[in-house]
Amino acid sequence: MDLITTTDALRQICTRLAEQPFVTVDTEFMRETTYYPKLCLIQMAAPDGTGVLVDPLAPGIDLEPFIALMADERTVKVFHSARQDLEIIWLIGGILPHPFFDTQVAAMVCGYGDSVSYEQLVNDVAKAKIDKSSRFTDWSRRPLSEAQLSYALSDVTHLVKIYEVLVAELLRTDRGAWLDEEMAVLTSPETYRADPAQAWRRLSGRMRKPREIAVLMEVAAWRESEAQARNVPRGRILKDEAVIDIASAAPRNAEALGRLRTIPAGFERSRTGADIVAAVERGLARDTSAVRMPERVRRSGGNGAIVELLKVLLKAVCETEGVAPKIIATVDDLEAIADDDTAEVPALQGWRRTLFGDKALALKQGRLALSVEAGRIVVRPPQGDTAPDGVERAG
């Protein structure tokens, strides 16, 4: 298989692909030693049998024709588990593909399970097998082997059949609109803007006090900015455990910083050590009354039994409806519903509320019962009561 290595060849193939109703897309990249992903290969395929491999590392190649195709409104761009691929396209082109379709999201709506893998869909839908021996190879090295190229192309050729089957199923069940919210998140630029000011949220689940959160905000923001500026993984700047220790202990000088078990010997005397202490001081200077605690931390945690019941209800509803639980409600959603009937969570809005949210509230309020019959969970109203739509009535 030949790689496209020139801008002219890339423009010709992208012009041809733009005439297709849809094109499947995947990328291979490396980011073990960098903050930002390094794009190493682009794969595309179309329903007319076209299969394309593009070398973005080829000297002098301009990816503008590929970016233009991603923005072309005439052709649907199909990915599987697209978040990292879309991040790359956003970074290199400043756009996000549109129209856009993610087969992993669609598969969850169609009942294939939570976060279903591409390999599983290839097995179940395309009735094929993938040789995964090249999956973790170094995609930045040249030349790429025939095995690597074959594996990479299979990531998009089978996706053609998968897309066609899933679209047909969505039309049959009239569930196309269920994907809109998930697709909107994936195609929002905000999803891919790595704002250092929001970096603390990744670690906030371990914090319990406003003062700790305030220090965490500043230290995590400093680390994120440093990682971006140096283009290295954030862990190369400071490990997560060290950030947590610093937020908890709030060391105000080099000596106090050096006493933390997660700080390497001598680190506290470096310029980086001084920067960390300065970040701690900024955190301590914050008005803690304005620090908003993360939602899961602020919840009382006294409704554990209700949450467990809601989990059972969710599983029962999803088995009946043939949809993956993850796309209906997260554990955070269930905890919020257990605490508050008016919680602002997706599970209490739109189609999710119709499918699950109303039943969840009815269960909380004693208007719904769970029982085991013939080895399965049955959702019913108490005898003589009225249940939400879609719930079996006791006869």
Side-chain angles (χ1 to χ4, degrees):
M1 285 165 282
D2 293 329
L3 279 174
I4 289 179
T5 59
T6 67
T7 305
D8 285 344
L10 178 60
R11 181 171 289 108
Q12 290 177 25
I13 196 65
C14 286
T15 299
R16 176 179 167 186
L17 290 173
E19 298 173 352
Q20 296 293 308
F22 69 90
V23 57
T24 58
V25 189
D26 190 33
T27 65
E28 304 296 342
F29 56 90
M30 306 284 287
R31 72 183 314 165
E32 286 80 2
T33 61
T34 60
Y35 180 90
Y36 298 105
K38 179 182 181 181
L39 179 60
C40 300
L41 189 67
I42 299 170
Q43 307 101 277
M44 295 182 285
D48 68 349
T50 301
V52 180
L53 298 172
V54 181
D55 185 0
L57 302 182
I61 194 169
D62 186 345
L63 296 180
E64 184 278 329
F66 169 72
I67 297 301
L69 175 62
M70 293 299 99
D72 195 317
E73 292 290 334
R74 296 173 297 173
T75 305
V76 178
K77 272 65 69 173
V78 180
F79 296 76
H80 181 82
S81 188
R83 190 181 184 105
Q84 293 190 86
D85 301 305
L86 267 57
E87 177 190 6
I88 290 171
I89 294 170
W90 170 256
L91 289 172
I92 65 174
I95 63 100
L96 289 165
H98 194 270
F100 162 77
F101 188 95
D102 189 319
T103 56
Q104 186 178 69
V105 176
M108 288 194 285
V109 168
C110 293
Y112 285 88
D114 283 338
S115 302
V116 60
S117 69
Y118 177 66
E119 182 182 20
Q120 181 182 335
L121 286 180
V122 171
N123 291 339
D124 296 348
V125 178
K127 308 302 180 185
K129 297 287 185 182
I130 299 176
D131 179 2
K132 300 176 66 176
S133 59
S134 297
R135 182 178 182 184
F136 297 111
T137 55
D138 185 350
W139 293 99
S140 66
R141 295 185 63 179
R142 294 296 184 270
L144 294 170
S145 69
E146 288 295 316
Q148 284 178 299
L149 297 176
S150 178
Y151 165 80
L153 195 59
S154 72
D155 273 352
V156 288
T157 51
H158 296 306
L159 201 54
V160 172
K161 176 67 173 178
I162 291 169
Y163 170 73
E164 291 172 339
V165 169
L166 290 176
V167 167
E169 179 66 10
L170 290 169
L171 290 172
R172 184 187 70 80
T173 57
D174 196 26
R175 291 181 176 180
W178 291 17
L179 276 68
D180 293 347
E181 183 178 321
E182 301 297 325
M183 300 299 182
V185 171
L186 286 170
T187 55
S188 168
E190 294 304 315
T191 302
Y192 307 98
R193 290 191 178 116
D195 182 2
Q198 301 302 316
W200 66 279
R201 296 185 181 278
R202 291 182 56 254
L203 305 173
S204 60
R206 308 186 202 180
M207 302 281 96
R208 294 294 180 268
K209 301 175 183 177
R211 190 200 73 155
E212 293 175 343
I213 293 290
V215 176
L216 176 66
M217 287 176 171
E218 293 294 342
V219 176
W222 167 82
R223 181 181 69 161
E224 202 74 11
S225 295
E226 283 289 302
Q228 291 176 358
R230 301 186 201 179
N231 193 23
V232 297
R234 58 177 69 90
R236 294 277 185 93
I237 304 295
L238 202 63
K239 300 293 186 185
D240 285 354
E241 292 76 10
V243 175
I244 294 295
D245 280 356
I246 292 167
S248 299
R252 306 190 70 167
N253 53 53
E255 182 181 1
L257 179 63
R259 286 198 295 266
L260 298 182
R261 60 181 177 80
T262 51
I263 298 299
F267 185 87
E268 73 278 7
R269 294 189 295 274
S270 67
R271 180 187 66 81
T272 299
D275 289 344
I276 292 172
V277 171
V280 170
E281 289 295 338
R282 291 194 299 273
L284 293 173
R286 277 178 171 263
D287 178 6
T288 55
S289 66
V291 173
R292 181 175 176 82
M293 298 291 285
E295 191 67 25
R296 288 193 73 177
V297 173
R298 288 190 286 113
R299 291 181 194 142
S300 63
N303 291 319
I306 297 176
V307 173
E308 293 305 314
L309 281 175
L310 292 174
K311 288 180 181 178
V312 175
L313 174 65
L314 177 63
K315 184 173 179 61
V317 168
C318 289
E319 286 180 350
T320 299
E321 298 292 338
V323 62
K326 185 176 180 180
I327 204 167
I328 301 293
T330 65
V331 173
D332 282 2
D333 289 345
L334 300 183
E335 291 177 352
I337 294 170
D339 280 352
D340 182 2
D341 288 0
T342 62
E344 294 184 5
V345 294
L348 291 182
Q349 299 170 11
W351 65 268
R352 291 178 176 86
R353 179 166 188 137
T354 302
L355 198 70
F356 170 74
D358 285 337
K359 300 178 184 67
L361 296 179
L363 180 64
K364 276 187 65 181
Q365 296 159 8
R367 296 185 291 108
L368 200 98
L370 300 175
S371 63
V372 179
E373 297 182 16
R376 70 185 187 98
I377 301 293
V378 176
V379 182
R380 294 187 177 182
Q383 191 72 30
D385 204 345
T386 301
D389 291 341
V391 175
E392 297 180 48
R393 266 68 177 173

